[in-house]
Amino acid sequence: MTVSSPAAPFGRMLTAMATAFHDDGTLDLDGTARIAAHLVDNGNDGVVVSGTTGESPTTSVEEDGQILQAVKDAVGGRAKVVAGVGTNDTRHSVELAVQAEKIGVDGLLLVTPYYNKPSQAGLVHHFKQVVDASDVPVMLYDVPPRAAVKIELDTYLRAAEWDTVIAVKDATGDLTRVPRLIDAGYAVYSGDDAATLGFLAHGGCGLVSVVGHVAGRELAEMIDTFLAGDHAAALTIFTRLLPAFDAVMGVPNYGATTAKAALQLRGVLDNRNVRSPLVPLTDDEVAALRAGLEASGLI
């Protein structure tokens, strides 16, 4: 029997990648390029730059351009490069979208504005301004735990009328939305590593990961195995990765902090520097992270 896999316009296995910093807090572009190359060498067919894990709330427009260019130069010929352009200021997001198009990205990740809690009409207005600023394909990002606003289905239906809005990164935890979004014309990516099998079972096309910093090959194999119809084998991979999921996502300030510590454990980075208000993992937290990764056979 031939199994039909859903279209994945930005690749199937993407990681929302960390941004490297020097000890003085300045950008480490060589380190950032090294992270991108590591990801693509290890199972990722796409990377998301300057998302939450990339610490985008603490980087300037100029820095975002430098980061994006470094990643594009490092892996642009081998993987899809998606630029995070979502902020809580529409003008800022428009500026980032225009810059990203000039650099030549494959897609834009557009998160709901955080903190200011716009209405659904406000979301439509914000999204439309940013979408109209470029011709680059767009992945909307729905993450209520961070943004405090959820994209309602009617808003998705409005946005689906715009030609370049083609995908969703969903971190709502509501699997029943997946087939509804697919019916509306979207490619749906899981925004939560631990929910990926559920998303695939409901018609999702792939994953935008954090754990992919250290488990890209394994997660890609899990996705491919599931989509090939061997669900039991995919579940076996998933079960083996559970300690890593818990270790990476179980820290209160997970994301950049855990990704960088994991990259340090893997020898990709020589530090775990983050920008305030984040603080690096403590030695005890790194020890717990190491234990989880070891339990999953990742280090």
Side-chain angles (χ1 to χ4, degrees):
M1 181 180 68
T2 301
V3 179
S4 178
S5 298
F10 300 113
R12 295 208 182 277
M13 175 59 209
L14 299 88
T15 293
M17 59 172 283
T19 302
F21 298 116
H22 294 295
D23 291 345
D24 64 358
T26 57
L27 291 181
D28 178 359
L29 294 177
D30 289 340
T32 300
R34 201 159 57 246
I35 295 170
H38 160 77
L39 294 175
V40 176
D41 289 343
N42 288 278
N44 287 266
D45 53 0
V47 293
V48 176
V49 184
S50 294
T52 307
T53 309
E55 298 178 70
S56 58
T58 70
T59 54
S60 68
V61 172
E62 180 182 4
E63 287 177 324
D64 286 337
Q66 293 171 344
I67 295 164
L68 193 54
Q69 188 66 63
V71 173
K72 186 77 165 53
D73 291 345
V75 300
R78 299 194 291 139
K80 299 285 189 181
V81 176
V82 179
V85 299
T87 73
N88 59 357
D89 178 352
T90 304
R91 292 171 300 175
H92 185 187
S93 291
V94 166
E95 187 176 6
L96 290 173
V98 170
Q99 174 176 260
E101 183 174 34
K102 289 178 180 177
I103 291 172
V105 300
D106 300 293
L108 305 177
L109 181 73
L110 182 55
V111 72
T112 48
Y114 39 84
Y115 185 70
N116 28 20
K117 292 186 69 173
S119 65
Q120 295 298 305
L123 289 182
V124 170
H125 183 266
H126 173 79
F127 290 155
K128 190 68 164 65
Q129 298 297 307
V130 181
V131 168
D132 285 349
S134 84
D135 293 321
V136 181
V138 172
M139 179 191 298
L140 300 179
Y141 181 17
D142 199 358
V143 57
R146 288 192 181 272
V149 177
K150 186 176 183 178
I151 306 175
E152 300 297 342
L153 186 59
D154 285 347
T155 300
Y156 276 120
L157 294 174
R158 290 280 304 276
E161 298 173 358
W162 311 329
D163 291 343
T164 56
V165 179
I166 60 173
V168 177
K169 175 186 176 184
D170 188 298
T172 66
D174 183 356
L175 295 176
T176 66
R177 287 159 54 98
V178 179
R180 294 186 174 101
L181 291 171
I182 293 169
D183 285 345
Y186 290 95
V188 181
Y189 290 82
S190 173
D192 178 358
D193 286 274
T196 304
L197 281 186
F199 269 73
L200 295 173
H202 285 74
C205 69
L207 167 66
V208 181
S209 176
V210 175
V211 183
H213 283 91
V214 287
R217 288 187 185 277
E218 292 79 5
L219 288 164
E221 181 184 4
M222 182 186 78
I223 293 167
D224 291 343
T225 300
F226 185 94
L227 293 176
D230 193 344
H231 299 165
L235 181 58
T236 296
I237 299 170
F238 175 84
T239 302
R240 178 163 63 86
L241 292 175
L242 284 175
F245 294 160
D246 291 342
V248 172
M249 311 302 284
V251 177
N253 59 341
Y254 74 87
T257 56
T258 49
K260 288 180 179 179
L263 289 168
Q264 186 183 37
L265 291 172
R266 287 286 293 265
V268 179
L269 294 178
D270 62 4
N271 66 69
R272 50 184 187 269
N273 297 328
V274 290
R275 281 183 173 174
S276 182
L278 297 182
V279 294
L281 296 191
T282 65
D283 290 344
D284 286 344
E285 288 172 328
V286 172
L289 175 64
R290 178 192 291 275
L293 299 182
E294 287 177 343
S296 289
L298 299 176
I299 58 173

